[in-house]
Amino acid sequence: MEAQRSVLLFCLLSVSFTSIVGSTEEQERDRISALPGQPAVAFSQYSGYITVNEQHGRALFYWLTEATSNPQSRPLLLWLNGAGDALAFLVRWLSRFPQYKYRDFYIAGESYAVTDNYHDTVGTVAFWWYHSIISDPTYKSILKNCNFKSDNLSQQCNDVINYATNHEFGSIDPYSIYTPACSTSTTNHTSLRLKNTLVRPRQVLSGYDPCSENYAENNDLFNNWQDSQFSMLHTYKKLMAAGLKIWVYSGDTDSVVPVTATRFSLSHLNLTVKTAWYPWYSGSQVGGWTEVYKGLTFATVRGAGHEVPLFQPRRAFLLFQSFLQGRELPKSP
């Protein structure tokens, strides 16, 4: 599979860039000689900030780890948590690292959140009910009082959602409903915003810190974020029509951008099934479930919360590796 012919959400994309002479001095300034607690490594790594908006003083942090072998010819993979200012970042980053400009290029990541706001929201509420987080009366009341096709939710809708999150959810981590919640947090973890599904707390089993939002979250950024489309389904159609291949994946214990929301939304693309739904394997265990369509592959990752690689790194790696190699997920142990 040619790199320029695939896209991922997991997404692989081909982009043209204006030729800009890079600065070796800038690269060397960003070179990492050592990191606290990191053992000796056989690859070069760099980190720093790339300005994406001078007027607002906005810059994005990056961390580049080069391949352990033949780094001068390996493809470039950009991993994003969310996608704000991604193109501006990439163009300016490539001016600092021009040796990567004409490589095969992959875009991947997580926390893209909205697939289609209406179907995502209906699927989110369904997930709450299917997992016994909310009661039957609350579920019915949300469906009755909330018009998720509207930009403005009614007071009755807000009231019932607030009741659900404040009185029925309990003190759980909504981004991973079966792992321990932060016992010292002053934030209401269940204060979820259905209209704006940009992620907030981040949390994982081994090495998992459920209190990370206390010191790693910018509430002002999330509360004031406006750059979010109502639906990405038309974008998916354009990418597939261009011959690009898309993989979409979901952890199955995330209640904020849940698997049901993604499936509800993707079903409205009316895609042709190439390989019917089946369990895929990581080692001897079921890693999740997947279905392959013409132009798009959907996969779940069993036991993963919102940030799939954080919760299930081995399964996430196999998922990503399968995409890069252009093959379907394993059908047997």
Side-chain angles (χ1 to χ4, degrees):
M1 178 181 64
E2 294 181 358
Q4 291 90 344
R5 296 297 296 170
S6 298
V7 98
L8 174 54
L9 237 31
F10 267 11
C11 229
L12 167 79
L13 190 60
S14 174
V15 183
S16 297
F17 302 96
T18 304
S19 178
I20 306 173
V21 177
S23 169
T24 302
E25 291 183 0
E26 285 185 308
Q27 290 186 33
E28 289 306 310
R29 187 172 63 239
D30 288 354
R31 182 184 291 274
I32 298 172
S33 57
L35 287 174
Q38 185 184 60
V41 296
F43 54 85
S44 297
Q45 50 187 337
Y46 305 80
S47 71
Y49 288 88
I50 301 295
T51 300
V52 295
N53 189 312
E54 292 88 351
Q55 182 178 355
H56 293 93
R58 184 181 301 154
L60 297 180
F61 175 79
Y62 82 89
W63 180 12
L64 168 67
T65 58
E66 292 193 329
T68 56
S69 62
N70 301 319
Q72 69 279 0
S73 60
R74 295 296 188 187
L76 174 65
L77 166 68
L78 172 64
W79 182 276
L80 298 165
N81 278 67
D85 293 313
L87 182 58
F89 168 83
L90 187 57
V91 170
R92 297 186 182 199
W93 185 88
L94 285 167
S95 73
R96 189 174 300 183
F97 291 87
Q99 66 267 33
Y100 284 97
K101 288 170 69 172
Y102 303 105
R103 311 261 187 108
D104 288 346
F105 176 50
Y106 295 79
I107 298 178
E110 58 191 356
S111 296
Y112 284 79
V114 174
T115 304
D116 177 86
N117 196 77
Y118 171 72
H119 296 109
D120 281 0
T121 305
V122 172
T124 297
V125 176
F127 183 94
W128 297 353
W129 184 70
Y130 293 154
H131 288 77
S132 303
I133 296 173
I134 62 174
S135 65
D136 291 357
T138 296
Y139 179 56
K140 293 176 182 177
S141 184
I142 291 175
L143 297 182
K144 176 183 178 181
N145 291 291
C146 296
N147 177 12
F148 294 125
K149 292 183 178 180
S150 171
D151 289 334
N152 299 305
L153 299 181
S154 67
Q155 186 59 50
Q156 293 92 333
C157 177
N158 285 324
D159 288 345
V160 68
I161 291 174
N162 288 335
Y163 180 83
T165 57
N166 292 325
H167 298 284
E168 294 188 341
F169 264 68
S171 298
I172 65 171
D173 177 356
Y175 290 85
S176 177
I177 64 175
Y178 297 129
T179 52
C182 178
S183 60
T184 62
S185 177
T186 58
T187 300
N188 180 1
H189 281 267
T190 57
S191 183
L192 308 177
R193 293 159 295 161
L194 293 180
K195 281 184 79 281
N196 186 349
T197 54
L198 286 172
V199 294
R200 299 189 41 139
R202 289 160 164 125
Q203 290 82 57
V204 60
L205 301 177
S206 176
Y208 160 47
D209 181 359
C211 300
S212 61
E213 70 158 313
N214 290 352
Y215 45 82
E217 180 181 296
N218 186 330
N219 285 318
D220 289 339
L221 173 63
F222 290 113
N223 291 336
N224 294 291
W225 190 273
Q226 301 295 324
D227 185 16
S228 180
Q229 296 188 52
F230 193 86
S231 177
M232 291 293 293
L233 295 182
H234 65 287
T235 302
Y236 282 26
K237 291 177 180 178
K238 288 181 179 179
L239 294 174
M240 288 185 288
L244 304 173
K245 300 183 186 302
I246 301 174
W247 281 41
V248 180
Y249 63 99
S250 291
D252 60 10
T253 68
D254 174 20
S255 74
V256 178
V257 189
V259 61
T260 47
T262 304
R263 292 182 71 183
F264 278 22
S265 292
L266 293 181
S267 69
H268 288 80
L269 287 172
N270 298 314
L271 300 174
T272 300
V273 176
K274 292 179 61 179
T275 304
W277 189 269
Y278 68 90
W280 62 272
Y281 284 82
S282 174
S284 62
Q285 299 296 315
V286 172
W289 289 263
T290 183
E291 189 158 63
V292 181
Y293 305 95
K294 183 178 180 181
L296 185 146
T297 294
F298 173 69
T300 74
V301 180
R302 188 166 70 93
H306 185 77
E307 293 187 324
V308 169
L310 186 62
F311 289 88
Q312 293 289 343
R314 185 180 297 274
R315 294 173 184 175
F317 178 74
L318 178 57
L319 177 74
F320 186 52
Q321 187 179 52
S322 297
F323 168 78
L324 294 178
Q325 294 176 350
R327 56 182 173 82
E328 294 183 3
L329 287 159
K331 294 181 172 67
S332 60

